[in-house]
Amino acid sequence: MSKINTINIEKQIFDYLSQRLSPKRYEHSYNVAMLAIDIASNNCANVLKAQTAGLLHDCAKYMSDRGLISLLKDHKNFKYFKEISNVSPRLLHSFAGAIVAKEKFGIKDSDTLNAIRNHTLGRANMSVLERVIFVADSVSLDRKWMHAKRIRNLARTDLDKAFLETLKNKIEDVINDGSWLCPQTVNTWNWYVSNYKKNN
Ligand SMILES: [Fe+2]
Ligand SMILES: [Fe+2]
């Protein structure tokens, strides 16, 4: 991609986000992008892709539940679509975000699109970029929960550990809240604990 194209896409993205997201969500998206660049640069990942995925990860967050389901109706062949639509449609914003990124901004890179798509539920065997965005979303500067700062620092030196801690905290939050835990998140957890143990 040429420099001029990159700058044009960045401007389009900032315009899109500022017109649709709340100021708080806009600031969060910016913070996620900045942290994603930081973590990516410390983990040999592509910083430009990290920036794009970070900025766009919540680009569909403004849509209503009905709007999300409607956008995804032609893409509903992904696992658990029906369950998520029925029980927790807000989770669809990550899947919808990947579609917006592709169709509105012409993002073709599958790693960037997967990082947007999987930032809420994760999946087995995620790429470095996918894990960078997953972690950055949970511990960006605007996140004030107990371990956010520590995991933010940890991600620079041990992305695997930071990812597992982030995922564990997410699952604990859902359970403590008495909410529905998507089977895809359980699959993500099971895949990573077995593989992390094997490698450590
Ligand atoms: Fe999100
Ligand atoms: Fe987010």
Side-chain angles (χ1 to χ4, degrees):
M1 196 182 288
S2 75
K3 202 173 177 189
I4 289 171
N5 275 342
T6 306
I7 291 166
N8 279 341
I9 287 174
E10 269 174 29
K11 184 175 173 352
Q12 281 175 40
I13 292 173
F14 278 117
D15 287 349
Y16 185 93
L17 297 180
S18 65
Q19 285 160 16
R20 288 167 178 81
L21 302 184
S22 67
K24 203 176 161 193
R25 182 65 50 189
Y26 179 82
E27 188 193 348
H28 165 69
S29 302
Y30 178 81
N31 286 336
V32 171
M34 292 303 106
L35 181 58
I37 290 171
D38 183 353
I39 301 173
S41 66
N42 283 287
N43 286 278
C44 303
N46 185 306
V47 291
L48 186 55
K49 290 180 186 181
Q51 175 182 287
T52 304
L55 283 176
L56 285 173
H57 81 286
D58 275 344
C59 69
K61 195 89 177 185
Y62 71 93
M63 291 183 190
S64 65
D65 292 354
R66 195 178 285 188
L68 289 168
I69 293 168
S70 164
L71 176 69
L72 288 160
K73 68 181 185 300
D74 297 329
H75 304 261
K76 62 187 171 191
N77 55 343
F78 63 83
K79 222 174 173 183
Y80 309 121
F81 172 75
K82 218 173 175 181
E83 291 92 329
I84 299 171
S85 300
N86 286 335
V87 190
S88 192
R90 299 312 302 155
L91 294 173
L92 294 172
H93 78 272
S94 58
F95 297 90
I99 292 169
V100 172
K102 188 176 182 182
E103 293 181 354
K104 176 84 189 163
F105 298 104
I107 308 286
K108 293 190 183 80
D109 178 67
S110 59
D111 201 16
T112 305
L113 295 174
N114 282 335
I116 297 168
R117 183 183 164 95
N118 296 307
H119 82 266
T120 51
L121 306 175
R123 64 167 178 164
N125 204 10
M126 291 160 81
S127 71
V128 174
L129 183 68
E130 286 177 82
R131 283 178 287 139
V132 166
I133 299 301
F134 190 94
V135 172
D137 178 37
S138 284
V139 299
S140 56
L141 263 187
D142 50 299
R143 303 287 202 195
K144 304 297 181 199
W145 58 284
M146 201 186 4
H147 300 295
K149 191 177 177 186
R150 185 179 57 76
I151 295 178
R152 204 181 299 148
N153 291 326
L154 179 64
R156 297 187 178 110
T157 54
D158 192 340
L159 181 60
D160 285 344
K161 207 168 177 189
F163 173 76
L164 257 187
E165 286 211 33
T166 301
L167 181 59
K168 186 180 173 198
N169 273 289
K170 252 190 184 186
I171 292 170
E172 283 174 351
D173 277 354
V174 173
I175 290 170
N176 289 338
D177 193 43
S179 299
W180 177 70
L181 182 60
C182 183
Q184 186 169 324
T185 310
V186 178
N187 295 343
T188 308
W189 173 256
N190 285 338
W191 194 91
Y192 276 97
V193 284
S194 50
N195 282 277
Y196 191 75
K197 272 183 188 153
K198 238 184 266 168
N199 299 326
N200 286 276

